[in-house]
Amino acid sequence: MPSPDSAPESALASRRSKITPERAQELYAAVLELLRESGYESLTMEGVASRTRCGKSTLYRQWGSKPELVVAALHGTRRMRLPNIDTGTLAGDLLAAARAIGEASESDTPLMHALSHAALQSPELLCALREALILPEVAAIDAMVRRGQARGEIAADLPGAEFMAAQLLGVMRARPLLEGRYADAAYLTRFVEMAVLPSLGLTAGAPES
């Protein structure tokens, strides 16, 4: 026999199910777009509702609050770019990673800047930001380094090998502050060729046999 609480729970589930996965993706995309344009503090449920032609009450029923909606948008739009990179050499992998990160820098960098301050105030938001934008790429770059070590391209205990992800992702974040420009694919490629590979004793060409 259903419990007395089951009817309200079923009604809530029914209300939430009205948003299709496709519609949710549209809403998530609008949330991230607004974050890039105006930052976290300026983001409002009213603004999302207006941008998406969605009722504000629908947003509150589905997600409850702005932080919950932003967390859902970050989780719901996670993408895996770097894990598919495996060129057969560490130099090739790092250059391919630089291009992939650089091609996304114009969208990822404003989002990171928009959320950084708010994320430091909210453990849940920080966790979502790390899981959506940072940890997948760190894990992929670390895997590239391990493959290079396994192939004997670099020593297993080579100083600096552990900082590859920090270098690639850090310079993407730093260049707009230092030079007022995004770290695009061309810039990151030069960075890897001129700074990263020499520190590993590698070049952009094929490894010596």
Side-chain angles (χ1 to χ4, degrees), residues 77-151:
T77 56
R78 277 186 292 184
R79 62 225 177 279
M80 304 292 282
R81 289 190 303 267
L82 303 189
N84 296 322
I85 293 174
D86 187 354
T87 67
T89 70
L90 178 54
D93 287 352
L94 293 175
L95 287 167
R99 288 189 290 271
I101 293 170
E103 287 165 1
S105 65
E106 192 168 347
S107 61
D108 283 356
T109 305
L111 186 59
M112 290 283 290
H113 287 170
L115 290 172
S116 293
H117 178 71
L120 293 177
Q121 316 295 319
S122 167
E124 185 180 13
L125 185 57
L126 177 60
C127 182
L129 180 62
R130 283 169 52 78
E131 289 181 353
L133 294 179
I134 300 171
L135 294 182
E137 296 190 346
V138 170
I141 294 169
D142 287 348
M144 296 172 191
V145 172
R146 288 194 298 271
R147 290 198 301 267
Q149 291 169 329
R151 289 189 294 257

Side-chain angles (χ1 to χ4, degrees), residues 132-209:
L133 294 179
I134 300 171
L135 294 182
E137 296 190 346
V138 170
I141 294 169
D142 287 348
M144 296 172 191
V145 172
R146 288 194 298 271
R147 290 198 301 267
Q149 291 169 329
R151 289 189 294 257
E153 295 175 75
I154 59 173
D157 59 351
L158 181 69
E162 64 180 294
F163 300 112
M164 289 303 99
Q167 290 186 73
L168 279 174
L169 301 179
V171 75
M172 181 190 77
R173 180 90 184 273
R175 194 190 190 200
L177 299 176
L178 296 173
E179 301 180 20
R181 292 188 290 174
Y182 292 121
D184 58 16
Y187 178 85
L188 283 178
T189 297
R190 293 199 309 275
F191 176 75
V192 168
E193 290 175 342
M194 304 301 175
V196 175
L197 297 184
S199 74
L200 299 174
L202 300 175
T203 65
E208 294 182 6
S209 57

Side-chain angles (χ1 to χ4, degrees), residues 29-40 42-44 47-49 51-52 114:
V31 169
L32 300 187
E33 185 177 74
L34 287 166
L35 283 169
R36 293 184 185 102
E37 290 175 3
S38 306
Y40 183 82
S42 297
L43 179 73
T44 64
V48 176
R51 178 68 61 93
T52 59

